[in-house]
Amino acid sequence: MWRYIGRRLAVAVPTLWAVTTLVFFLMRVVPGDPAELLLAQSGASAEAIARLRTQLGLDQPLLVQYGRFLFQVLRGDLGRSLATGRPVTRMIGEQLPATLELALAAMGIAIALGLVLGLIAALRRDTWVDSLCMTVAVVGSSLPVFWSGLLFILLFSIALRWLPATGEGTWRHLLMPAAVLGVASSGSIARQTRSSVLEALGQEYVTAARAKGLREWMVITRHALRNALIPVVTDIGLRFSFLLGGAVVTETVFARRGLGRLIVDGILWKDFPVVQGVVLLVAAIYVLVNLLVDLTYALLDPRVRYD
Amino acid sequence: MLNSLRARSRRLASIAGLGLLAIALIACQPPLPQPVETPAAGPQPGGRLVYGLTLVVSGIDPHVDASSELGIPLTSVYDTLVYQDLDGHFVPGLAEQWEVSDDGLTYTFHLRRDVTFHDGTPFNAAAVQFNFDRIADPETRSRKAAGLLGPYEGTEVVDEFTVRVHFRRPHAAFLDAASQVYLGMASPTAVQKWGAEYQEHQVGTGPFRFKEYVPRDHLLLERNPDYAWAPAVYQHQGPAYLDEIEFRFFPDPASRVLALEAGQAHVMGEISPQDAARLEESPDFDILRVPIPGQPLQFFINTEKPPTDDLRVRQALLYAADRAAIVQAVFRGTSPVAYGPLSPVTWGYEPSVVQMYPHDPARAAALLEEAGWTDSDGDGIREKEGRPLRLEMILMSWGYVPEVGQMLQAQFRQVGVDLQMQELAFPAAVAAAGEGQHHLAPMVFSSSDPGILSSTFHSANADAGFNWAKVRDAELDRLLDAGAQAVDEARRLALYAQAQRRIMDLALIIPVRDYVNLNGISGQVKGLRYDRRGWFPWLYDVYLAQ
């Protein structure tokens, strides 16, 4: 298994190189000049724009800039932001805890809600309970976060005054954004759980388990659900990576820090080093989470081995 | 600019949804605690004020960065050599008095002798020299302050408390520049100690000390107990009233006002006109409308691209635009209709531009006819030599530009002009307008000095820069160059008055509305005023009613 992990991590290096290279050139092909954007607020002269471009090293040939970027990355230096002048690694480090916190909490809610709804729907297949659970799942994941977030704030912060509307720091700050994001992510988990539990319930090992005289909840949890979880875990893994890349709308509505806003602002202001740094990090997260998902298969299904 | 950029396209949808929801929820809303009015209670010291800002995306070193958001907190951290009072006069700050040489090349400042920085460093002539030299140093990569310093040559220390600032050319706007936080005086000791990380450890001489900055989250200031050099623009002397001021960032336009209502901030800048109307009806909140000097929300008309290279077509667009209707519909009447390239609160504003282009569709039609554009096939759109009168407008998502664009489209259609709109992300829009792909492109620049007109109308900025009208007019260049150097006030006023009329004679812009910053304020907050630039609060005099 360790050899498998080592091999997977070795393959990740060219993946990360390809992703960052692509982003490096894409950001520069898309129209827009960082120097001009940075000066758009003060209404500076053409001369000042040209001067700042030189000062930021943006007038140098693309390949020279790319070479310097690669050299820096290899030394673990992601450079300094064009907009803030601060080291990108520090900027990411400041945003990461808030993102992790939100992603973990939201994922917890999404998994709990999704599994319960999916399981109930599967067990009460084709009844009104099934329809109700699936409707809740679909509606929950279709509500746009910028709308449901405001709705939560109006209800819990302004009308009831139970929770702070915005900010971060305590579990009370976390509750609303995590719930909004968790509900939004629970829909597909619920649907996936329902269909794979239904599939598992039709398998012979379930009939065998029942024939052994096992109690029904044992049959469902030990045999049906466990086997049904593999596609669900894949879905959860993808969703979790996505959330770790930042949940920009949720962060914005609830005025939280996070990688999502950092990268969106980076793109909006053509802050090349920030975008490159965050993309590199998010790509690494995807690689890692995918690996974890694959390793989880082995835990869930004894037939999967990585030796 | 930055500020209005925050208004993303989500805004409209969220507001529509919110309206419905608000109606549903108002019924179940418990009564809010009423602020207790203590009769005749004067300013009470103490307390922490929470001030909501839009997100600061850039750095926050006033010598380096350009955003208005950084000036909102840092106006309380830094003092400036001179201050501008609300009538526009320059009054002593860190400089007790000053003289300007007749040739406008040298400014001599006599400094206060009783001022120390927050870190104990004495404020003196060497500190002034250090600050201006730092701003001018290319290594600083200054985005705004260096521009304010203009043709800076150097600072000469005459004695411990006298400095002479020399310029290569006369710099008429220097006092205006020296009164801005971007040229605020920073402690040389702290700047040298922290280097590139100075923005997180700023040290000034102002009424509040910089305590803590967590980027994208908050910025905390604490009272400077030693402050004893308040300029005359303020209403008291000695230390400030508030113990602390916490600036928090609220990037979402829709939840910003909700945070104010939920009691998470005492002051919230850049409230939408819709929210402002609602808050004004509440007994717990006030709306402070602060007009912003500089250029209005305006659409530049490209003078290089046919058919707007024809003066008559450009003038027709101005006559066809019913700006009063736009301001009423989009801005709910919260800001004045704009008529020229500068707003009325800007020094040097020329009022005669108001009469130049009244809404007159018949005159617009006549001008288009004269220019050879007629509707020969009866489809409602004019043609000339077989080509329809079709104009391209670049839209961006800030400042209600898309809504304004839609109204202009309908108004132009009535005189037979087909306006095509393309909404672009900010970088792409700036690039497209810079390359002159547009007929019409929006922009707004705030500035307390009319010198901003050079950036947008001088031919030197037509190829690269923000002259999006792409105008190259020798007469206009002459007026703008002379205005930037005219030290004599009366002459300077006359030059900029001519420049403004020239800009409108040439029909280079469609001005839409003068920018007004709508600030939502909790009833607890007393004594809040904003400086002449409209963005920057004077928090020194502010206190919280108990």
Side-chain angles (χ1 to χ4, degrees):
Chain A
M1 181 150 112
W2 291 111
R3 272 184 61 191
Y4 173 77
I5 294 176
R7 209 166 59 232
R8 285 282 297 264
L9 290 179
V11 173
V13 174
T15 309
L16 295 182
W17 170 77
V19 168
T20 43
T21 302
L22 194 67
V23 169
F24 181 92
F25 288 103
L26 269 182
M27 282 295 290
R28 284 160 174 83
V29 168
V30 174
D33 168 14
E36 196 175 26
L37 293 172
L38 285 170
L39 293 174
Q41 185 163 35
S42 52
S45 64
E47 191 194 340
I49 295 172
R51 200 164 47 227
L52 184 61
R53 200 176 290 136
T54 310
Q55 288 165 359
L56 294 174
L58 298 169
D59 57 341
Q60 296 186 350
L62 212 52
L63 281 179
V64 173
Q65 293 184 46
Y66 177 66
R68 191 184 312 134
F69 163 67
L70 273 191
F71 182 66
Q72 280 181 337
V73 169
L74 287 176
R75 292 185 316 174
D77 175 8
L78 295 176
R80 279 178 183 262
S81 154
L82 302 180
T84 67
R86 304 178 65 234
V88 171
T89 41
R90 269 191 69 197
M91 290 172 72
I92 291 178
E94 286 159 2
Q95 307 301 314
L96 201 54
T99 293
L100 273 177
E101 182 186 88
L102 180 62
L104 282 171
M107 229 37 236
I109 292 173
I111 292 171
L113 201 65
L115 284 185
V116 168
L117 285 176
L119 196 58
I120 295 177
L123 297 178
R124 296 281 179 275
R125 181 186 187 179
D126 295 336
T127 65
W128 65 269
V129 180
D130 179 13
S131 312
L132 180 71
C133 286
M134 284 303 105
T135 309
V136 169
V138 169
V139 170
S141 53
S142 321
L143 284 183
V145 170
F146 67 80
W147 189 79
S148 57
L150 291 176
L151 193 142
F152 269 55
I153 293 178
L154 271 175
L155 184 61
F156 293 110
S157 304
I158 298 204
L160 298 171
R161 299 207 163 236
W162 287 350
L163 294 169
T166 56
E168 53 186 277
T170 70
W171 67 270
R172 296 178 70 240
H173 288 96
L174 185 59
L175 210 53
M176 280 200 292
V180 164
L181 208 52
V183 168
S185 311
S186 66
S188 79
I189 298 177
R191 292 171 62 85
Q192 189 67 257
T193 307
R194 177 180 180 272
S195 64
S196 41
V197 167
L198 281 179
E199 200 188 315
L201 284 176
Q203 298 290 326
E204 287 177 354
Y205 56 79
V206 170
T207 317
R210 282 187 179 134
K212 282 194 296 189
L214 278 184
R215 266 166 295 178
E216 186 65 13
W217 66 268
M218 286 285 282
V219 175
I220 290 161
T221 51
R222 291 290 299 275
H223 295 270
L225 188 58
R226 186 167 168 182
N227 283 293
L229 276 182
I230 285 196
V232 179
V233 166
T234 312
D235 188 57
I236 289 173
L238 280 175
R239 244 151 229 295
F240 190 54
S241 316
F242 184 71
L243 286 184
L244 283 178
V248 61
V249 180
T250 312
E251 289 163 10
T252 306
V253 170
F254 292 99
R256 291 176 58 87
R257 282 183 288 170
L259 287 176
R261 272 219 71 85
L262 189 67
I263 192 165
V264 166
D265 287 333
I267 292 168
L268 206 59
W269 291 94
K270 304 219 66 181
D271 198 340
F272 302 142
V274 170
V275 177
Q276 285 152 197
V278 179
V279 167
L280 182 64
L281 175 76
V282 172
I285 288 175
Y286 263 86
V287 168
L288 272 182
V289 172
N290 268 327
L291 178 59
L292 285 179
V293 165
D294 288 348
L295 295 178
T296 314
Y297 292 161
L299 287 180
L300 290 171
D301 188 340
R303 288 168 302 183
V304 179
R305 284 283 173 272
Y306 293 116
D307 296 330
Chain B
M1 238 320 298
L2 261 176
N3 311 284
S4 24
L5 256 177
R6 310 280 171 262
R8 307 234 190 283
S9 47
R10 277 195 317 281
R11 183 190 57 234
L12 261 192
S14 14
I15 288 168
L18 259 181
L20 288 175
L21 199 76
I23 295 166
L25 281 175
I26 272 163
C28 57
Q29 203 166 344
L32 290 167
Q34 297 291 318
V36 185
E37 286 287 336
T38 35
Q44 297 129 0
R48 174 192 279 203
L49 179 88
V50 183
Y51 195 114
L53 297 177
T54 56
L55 192 63
V56 181
V57 180
S58 72
I60 60 159
D61 183 334
H63 293 171
V64 178
D65 300 290
S67 86
S68 299
E69 284 99 328
L70 77 83
I72 294 173
L74 296 179
T75 293
S76 297
V77 174
Y78 292 102
D79 287 319
T80 46
L81 290 180
V82 295
Y83 277 77
Q84 196 174 22
D85 68 17
L86 294 179
D87 300 322
H89 302 116
F90 294 104
V91 300
L94 293 176
E96 286 175 320
Q97 44 179 315
W98 57 89
E99 299 104 38
V100 186
S101 66
D102 290 339
D103 59 6
L105 291 171
T106 305
Y107 286 67
T108 306
F109 293 94
H110 305 277
L111 307 176
R112 289 186 73 118
R113 293 157 185 260
D114 56 349
V115 178
T116 46
F117 288 100
H118 301 149
D119 61 358
T121 307
F123 170 75
N124 53 26
V128 176
Q129 183 188 44
F130 177 88
N131 273 273
F132 287 160
D133 284 353
R134 175 186 187 226
I135 291 165
D137 183 356
E139 282 297 303
T140 305
R141 300 174 181 176
S142 172
R143 288 105 204 246
K144 179 156 183 152
L148 290 172
L149 268 186
Y152 176 73
E153 191 175 28
T155 302
E156 172 195 348
V157 175
V158 178
D159 60 43
E160 195 182 354
F161 294 104
T162 310
V163 285
R164 270 195 206 113
V165 185
H166 298 284
F167 295 97
R168 292 188 302 275
R169 293 187 305 276
H171 184 16
F174 183 56
L175 283 184
D176 175 80
S179 72
Q180 300 197 32
V181 64
Y182 305 100
L183 298 193
M185 288 294 133
S187 158
T189 318
V191 170
Q192 284 165 331
K193 177 177 171 193
W194 294 104
E197 320 306 330
Y198 172 72
Q199 62 171 309
E200 289 158 65
H201 308 275
Q202 301 189 41
V203 177
T205 62
F208 288 89
R209 295 196 290 224
F210 190 98
K211 190 172 176 187
E212 179 185 54
Y213 176 44
V214 179
R216 295 177 165 257
D217 192 58
H218 72 273
L219 169 60
L220 190 62
L221 307 184
E222 64 181 357
R223 175 170 46 208
N224 172 11
D226 305 323
Y227 194 65
W229 42 88
V233 296
Y234 292 143
Q235 290 180 326
H236 77 286
Q237 289 291 313
Y241 298 126
L242 295 164
D243 287 339
E244 289 184 318
I245 311 171
E246 182 184 354
F247 294 89
R248 295 204 72 89
F249 304 117
F250 296 89
D252 185 35
S255 61
R256 198 177 298 149
V257 71
L258 296 182
L260 178 69
E261 288 178 275
Q264 290 206 294
H266 294 104
V267 184
M268 191 68 79
E270 297 216 51
I271 300 274
S272 75
Q274 289 83 356
D275 287 330
R278 191 161 57 82
L279 279 187
E280 265 182 337
E281 287 167 18
S282 160
D284 304 316
F285 299 98
D286 294 320
I287 292 289
L288 252 181
R289 301 175 182 205
V290 191
I292 306 287
Q295 297 197 262
L297 169 60
Q298 60 199 338
F299 287 87
F300 288 92
I301 313 178
N302 190 342
T303 57
E304 281 187 340
K305 185 173 174 179
T308 46
D309 58 342
D310 185 331
L311 174 64
R312 291 165 298 187
V313 174
R314 297 199 298 275
Q315 288 177 328
L317 295 179
L318 271 154
Y319 284 119
D322 183 356
R323 290 165 277 169
I326 293 174
V327 166
Q328 197 47 46
V330 179
F331 301 101
R332 309 267 173 117
T334 50
S335 44
V337 176
Y339 297 98
L342 292 176
S343 69
V345 289
T346 319
W347 188 89
Y349 165 73
E350 168 55 33
S352 69
V353 295
V354 174
Q355 286 88 35
M356 288 181 75
Y357 295 96
H359 178 223
D360 190 345
R363 194 142 169 213
L367 279 163
L368 291 172
E369 296 278 340
E370 194 190 315
W373 294 94
T374 50
D375 183 14
S376 45
D377 56 6
D379 66 349
I381 301 297
R382 294 170 188 274
E383 297 89 24
K384 183 176 171 181
E385 293 153 12
R387 287 199 319 277
L389 182 44
R390 180 171 295 147
L391 304 182
E392 283 159 32
M393 175 188 264
I394 293 174
L395 295 182
M396 305 184 217
S397 59
W398 50 265
Y400 303 89
V401 163
E403 291 86 336
V404 173
Q406 280 164 18
M407 289 195 69
L408 282 176
Q409 186 180 45
Q411 292 167 1
F412 288 171
R413 172 99 204 178
Q414 288 178 351
V415 297
V417 178
D418 179 17
L419 183 65
Q420 304 276 319
M421 300 187 292
Q422 189 186 13
E423 185 162 341
L424 295 174
F426 188 59
V430 171
E435 287 163 17
Q437 295 175 17
H438 62 292
H439 291 107
L440 292 155
M443 201 51 162
V444 56
F445 291 106
S446 49
S447 167
S448 44
D449 188 85
I452 186 72
L453 296 177
S454 293
S455 291
T456 43
F457 300 105
H458 197 288
S459 63
N461 299 316
D463 290 322
F466 298 106
N467 175 352
W468 289 352
K470 304 289 172 193
V471 60
R472 296 160 209 270
D473 182 60
E475 169 66 2
L476 192 50
D477 284 354
R478 187 190 66 78
L479 292 169
L480 294 173
D481 286 337
Q485 301 190 22
V487 182
D488 178 62
E489 261 195 20
R491 180 156 177 268
R492 193 157 191 254
L493 278 174
L495 286 164
Y496 279 115
Q498 286 178 56
Q500 290 167 71
R501 280 196 299 270
R502 181 80 187 154
I503 287 163
M504 295 317 290
D505 279 338
L506 295 173
L508 302 178
I509 50 168
I510 303 176
V512 177
R513 67 128 175 176
D514 292 324
Y515 212 94
V516 173
N517 182 13
L518 300 173
N519 298 280
I521 292 162
S522 145
Q524 256 193 305
V525 177
K526 304 293 177 197
L528 177 59
R529 293 177 305 152
Y530 286 78
D531 78 346
R532 276 279 291 184
R533 281 159 201 100
W535 293 119
F536 308 134
W538 282 337
L539 296 169
Y540 170 71
D541 289 323
V542 169
Y543 61 97
L544 295 173
Q546 300 302 309

